[in-house]
Amino acid sequence: MAKRATKKSRRPRKAQTRPNPLRRALRYLWRVGLGLVVFVVGLIALGAVVNPPTTPYMFSESRRLGGAEQIWVPLEDIAPVMARSVVAAEDANFCLHWGFDLAAIKDAIADGGTRGASTLSQQTVKNVYLWHGRNYTRKALEALLTPLLEIIWSKQRIVEVYLNVAEFDEGIFGVEAAARHYFGVAARDLTAEQAARLAAILPNPKGRSARRPSDFVLKRARAIRSGAATISKDGRAACFES
């Protein structure tokens, strides 16, 4: 007797699940964010060993003025008193903090925000990687990048880069160009008085002059010269002096 052909039972196909749009978007954002973090860390790590050829502000000023002067010099070719002067003027506790001077921030808040509390590390981040001007977006990015800079760069490197990219007059960037522009000497030959005057015109080099100093600049230079001697004696210059 012939066997009946049995029908093969068909298993129901599983419905293909479409990827969740929200999950896909989050995965994309995660990859973009991770890539951005890697890029920023790599950029700052590169800056620890490679001198920046220009900065956003230097580039914009060069285009506006039709050129800018800058001569890069290593820290060992800059008079030690110049480094001490700029630290005394801008960030006396530079060797004691990790990027933010909390005591200075507290004092600035108590003073109603009329004086700044920006450290040398914060200014270096702004000068090298960001743009100038009071802007909450820039300040937020500065706050994020400053601890990273402190982790990757040495204190000596921060001082070296700052001195080489800071603006000392219109179109004059870096201490070597400034020393030649104002006093006709190399940065390594700056005297204590000349170094104090250069530090005294920061952070307003377009409104102050080291060659024809106002009474305010002279008074500030005297205070800076005294401060530079003080941080040398009490050890607050040890982290950037070899």
Side-chain angles (χ1 to χ4, degrees):
M1 186 175 176
K3 294 182 180 180
R4 287 184 181 179
T6 56
K7 292 183 179 179
K8 293 182 180 179
S9 60
R10 295 182 179 178
R11 294 180 181 178
R13 293 182 180 179
K14 292 182 179 179
Q16 293 182 350
T17 56
R18 293 182 179 179
N20 189 310
L22 178 60
R23 184 178 298 175
R24 193 165 47 176
L26 289 174
R27 188 181 300 138
Y28 174 77
L29 290 175
W30 164 256
R31 289 176 180 173
V32 170
L34 183 61
L36 186 61
V37 169
V38 171
F39 172 76
V40 170
V41 171
L43 190 64
I44 292 180
L46 187 67
V49 292
V50 177
N51 300 332
T54 187
T55 68
Y57 180 67
M58 196 186 304
F59 177 75
S60 66
E61 284 295 277
S62 179
R63 290 195 62 182
R64 183 179 71 86
L65 299 169
E69 292 182 44
Q70 186 208 31
I71 305 167
W72 191 282
V73 285
L75 189 59
E76 56 265 27
D77 287 341
I78 300 172
V81 70
M82 182 66 229
R84 290 194 295 269
S85 294
V86 79
V87 170
E90 298 291 294
D91 186 6
N93 293 320
F94 175 66
C95 288
L96 306 179
H97 63 66
W98 47 274
F100 303 100
D101 190 340
L102 299 182
I105 293 173
K106 185 178 179 180
D107 290 342
I109 293 172
D111 201 35
T114 56
R115 56 174 166 171
S118 184
T119 65
L120 215 62
S121 306
Q122 289 175 268
Q123 292 181 51
T124 302
V125 166
K126 178 191 69 177
N127 288 342
V128 176
Y129 298 109
L130 303 174
W131 60 95
H132 286 217
R134 293 185 179 275
N135 183 285
Y136 287 114
T137 301
R138 181 188 66 74
K139 293 298 290 184
L141 289 173
E142 182 183 294
L144 289 172
L145 295 180
T146 296
L148 192 60
L149 189 85
E150 282 274 346
I151 292 170
I152 297 176
W153 289 21
S154 67
K155 291 285 190 178
Q156 287 180 323
R157 180 60 174 170
I158 293 172
V159 172
E160 179 183 63
V161 173
Y162 178 84
L163 286 172
N164 275 286
V165 301
E167 183 185 31
F168 287 91
D169 197 357
E170 193 168 53
I172 304 296
F173 292 89
V175 67
E176 181 70 21
R180 298 184 184 192
H181 172 70
Y182 283 116
F183 307 116
V185 300
R188 65 164 65 245
D189 298 322
L190 285 167
T191 65
E193 177 61 27
Q194 290 169 340
R197 285 194 188 186
L198 287 179
I201 64 176
L202 301 173
N204 183 23
K206 291 177 181 175
R208 304 171 188 171
S209 173
R211 184 185 295 116
R212 295 182 296 276
S214 63
D215 290 341
F216 171 81
V217 170
L218 288 174
K219 182 179 178 181
R220 179 166 159 80
R222 285 194 295 271
I224 290 170
R225 189 170 177 178
S226 175
T230 300
I231 66 170
S232 179
K233 290 178 182 177
D234 65 19
R236 282 182 292 164
C239 69
F240 59 87
E241 290 189 330
S242 54

